[in-house]
Amino acid sequence: MPNENMEPGVSACPKCGQAMHPAMVKTAIWRGERLCVVEDIPAQVCDVCTEQFYDEETTDALRQLMEEDTAVPKREVLVSVFSLEGRIHRREPDPEGVYADY
Ligand SMILES: [Zn+2]
C-alpha cells in the first residue's frame, strides 16, 4: 500500500509501497557459463524490502551491454564458487505416514 507521508519526488516501491531512494548499485548476470558483474548502475532502491528498480534507459543500456560481444570489462574479479552438494539435510519421513505391508 502506498505511503501517504512520502516526501515529494520520492517514488513508491512497486513491491511493498514504501519509499525508494536513488543509489548506485551492482548486479551479477550469467551469460551462458560466464558470470558478469556490472557496476555503476543508477537504481531506485527500496528502504524497506531492499528491492532495486532500474528505469527504462538503464534497463536498455544494461541489456545492450550484455548483448555486446565486444564489451570490454573494466576489471576482473576472482569469484568463489560454493556447492550445496552434501549440505542439504532432509528430515526423516514420518513413520506414521509409511504404509507397512505385513
Ligand atoms: Zn519495497
Side-chain angles (χ1 to χ4, degrees):
M1 60 214 77
N3 186 344
E4 301 297 324
N5 304 317
M6 214 171 291
E7 316 152 38
V10 171
S11 38
C13 171
K15 198 177 169 193
C16 73
Q18 299 305 305
M20 299 195 297
H21 286 99
M24 286 302 225
V25 302
K26 58 181 95 175
T27 191
I29 299 169
W30 283 96
R31 293 174 72 187
E33 284 297 299
R34 190 172 174 215
L35 179 63
C36 300
V37 175
V38 182
E39 53 188 15
D40 306 320
I41 306 172
Q44 291 284 330
V45 182
C46 176
D47 297 345
V48 177
C49 74
T50 70
E51 196 76 21
Q52 299 174 356
F53 297 91
Y54 312 146
D55 62 22
E56 208 174 311
E57 289 87 348
T58 304
T59 307
D60 284 351
L62 189 59
R63 193 181 52 236
Q64 273 172 32
L65 175 64
M66 288 297 100
E67 285 168 358
E68 251 179 61
D69 292 329
T70 53
V72 179
K74 68 182 234 190
R75 60 196 168 90
E76 303 277 347
V77 292
L78 194 60
V79 177
S80 306
V81 178
F82 298 93
S83 173
L84 262 192
E85 198 178 352
R87 296 182 67 97
I88 300 172
H89 307 293
R90 303 275 180 211
R91 264 173 262 157
E92 291 298 316
D94 182 1
E96 301 291 310
V98 174
Y99 175 71
D101 188 16
Y102 293 109

